[in-house]
Amino acid sequence: MHEYDTVLKALLQSPENTIFEKITGAKIDQWLNVEFPEVQQTRVDMLGVATAPNKKFLGLELQSANDFRLPLRMAEYALRTYRLYEVFPDQYVLYVGDEELRTPSQLVGPNFFCRYTIFDIRTLDEELLLKSPFASDSIMAILSRHRDQRESIRRILERIATLESGRRDDALKKLMILAGLRKLGDTIRTEVKHMPILNDIMDHDVLGPTFREGEKKGLEQGLQKGELTILRRQLNKRFGTMPAGVDERLTQLSTSELEDLSLRLFDAQSIDELFSR
């Protein structure tokens, strides 16, 4: 999750972002860069200090997948924070994964108890994020639960389009990285083409190759899928029901390899012979 992790931290720690405050109910006055001193060093995702109404430490971990070892890790973070600052932090987990949240929110033993709060980002109000005056909130809205996916993406892009050139490029790059968590990269590329102010993205030193590669990959996947469908029908007609494992093997082949199999199909006397060449 390193790439997503870096972008999420940058967005959440920006002064132009309200999501952390929505989750914790506190406004961070200072972020701490903490690496716990151990034989194997451990770095918390985010640890901050809020002073109003009372001073307290708040820790936030980012999760892109369910992890049943998380309770142990959160307990270790709490104890190590106490060792450094002599105060237990209020702990939160922001879940940004695509599958339904199943990670437990506490670690309980006979004489031990550690609890933290987990927020699934999809429970945050998408409309509040989209209407926020801060572009960072709008970018994070790509991870929320959409009422209308394409309309939400258009609104996010419209918000990014209002930024000055340098900030716009950075915002688009972050949006594309986070979009990977929801498999929305192709949809965003399509919508970008409909916005003249963003057309110059194709000539951008960093983003241009990313978008062009995405288009090329999408075309290749479409061709591969079509060739695979045809070959499956040909195999079923020639040899009947395919043995277990053959279909999985086919999905691993490139478009050119599938085309080659199609050409050899009618000379082969069996599936084994087809794949033996």
Side-chain angles (χ1 to χ4, degrees):
M1 184 188 169
H2 179 71
E3 193 175 36
Y4 305 133
D5 191 66
T6 301
V7 170
L8 286 167
K9 287 179 186 177
L11 291 170
L12 289 166
Q13 292 181 334
S14 166
E16 296 185 347
N17 189 287
T18 62
I19 290 180
F20 190 87
E21 191 171 350
K22 286 182 172 68
I23 291 173
T24 65
K27 188 173 182 62
I28 294 297
D29 298 293
Q30 178 187 3
W31 290 107
L32 305 173
N33 186 18
V34 180
E35 191 169 277
F36 295 121
E38 295 289 337
V39 175
Q40 180 179 355
Q41 291 189 325
T42 304
R43 182 183 293 276
V44 294
D45 278 343
M46 300 169 67
L47 182 66
V49 180
T51 57
N54 300 305
K55 183 177 180 179
K56 59 181 177 180
F57 283 66
L58 298 104
L60 179 67
E61 291 301 305
L62 304 169
Q63 280 295 121
S64 62
N66 285 295
D67 183 359
F68 292 92
R69 297 169 298 179
L70 179 64
L72 179 60
R73 196 162 78 245
M74 296 300 289
E76 290 172 342
Y77 289 160
L79 292 171
R80 292 178 182 183
T81 300
Y82 185 84
R83 181 179 296 169
L84 280 179
Y85 300 104
E86 296 186 349
V87 62
F88 285 109
D90 291 349
Q91 292 184 294
Y92 298 84
V93 174
L94 181 60
Y95 179 71
V96 297
D98 202 26
E99 61 181 30
E100 289 303 311
L101 173 63
R102 299 190 306 277
T103 300
S105 60
Q106 61 185 24
L107 179 65
V108 181
N111 297 296
F112 182 84
F113 186 79
C114 174
R115 174 183 291 167
Y116 46 91
T117 302
I118 299 183
F119 277 88
D120 187 330
I121 196 168
R122 289 170 294 197
T123 65
L124 293 177
D125 190 330
E126 176 195 31
E127 193 63 25
L128 286 179
L129 296 178
L130 291 172
K131 287 184 176 180
S132 170
F134 302 128
S136 294
D137 284 341
S138 298
I139 294 170
M140 295 282 287
I142 195 67
L143 300 175
S144 62
R145 183 171 281 114
H146 307 297
R147 297 181 181 88
D148 183 329
Q149 189 178 88
R150 285 190 176 274
E151 177 60 23
S152 296
I153 289 174
R154 290 189 197 104
R155 292 175 65 182
I156 294 170
L157 291 173
E158 286 169 359
R159 178 68 183 87
I160 289 175
T162 66
L163 301 174
E164 59 189 34
S165 180
R167 293 186 64 199
R168 185 169 66 236
D169 295 343
D170 180 64
L172 277 169
K173 183 178 180 181
K174 288 175 178 174
L175 177 64
M176 287 301 297
I177 290 173
L178 294 189
L181 288 166
R182 296 290 184 266
K183 299 179 176 62
L184 292 175
D186 289 341
T187 306
I188 291 175
R189 291 183 188 94
T190 299
E191 294 304 322
V192 162
K193 292 179 180 179
H194 298 157
M195 301 187 68
I197 194 171
L198 299 178
N199 281 345
D200 61 350
I201 191 175
M202 300 302 287
D203 298 321
H204 190 276
D205 290 345
V206 176
L207 298 176
T210 299
F211 271 70
R212 287 192 293 271
E213 180 62 27
E215 289 184 323
K216 180 180 177 181
K217 184 177 179 181
L219 178 59
E220 171 64 23
Q221 288 175 339
L223 292 172
Q224 193 263 1
K225 185 176 181 180
E227 194 67 37
L228 181 58
T229 298
I230 293 172
L231 184 56
R232 279 173 177 151
R233 292 174 180 171
Q234 292 175 327
L235 286 168
N236 284 326
K237 185 173 182 179
R238 180 74 191 280
F239 301 116
T241 303
M242 289 186 290
V246 171
D247 192 66
E248 182 179 353
R249 186 172 179 180
L250 290 174
T251 60
Q252 304 302 315
L253 300 179
S254 66
T255 303
S256 61
E257 289 171 327
L258 290 170
E259 290 174 345
D260 185 51
L261 276 183
S262 295
L263 293 174
R264 302 199 321 252
L265 174 62
F266 296 103
D267 292 329
Q269 300 303 309
S270 67
I271 290 180
D272 289 339
E273 183 182 341
L274 179 66
F275 282 101
S276 66
R277 299 185 184 183

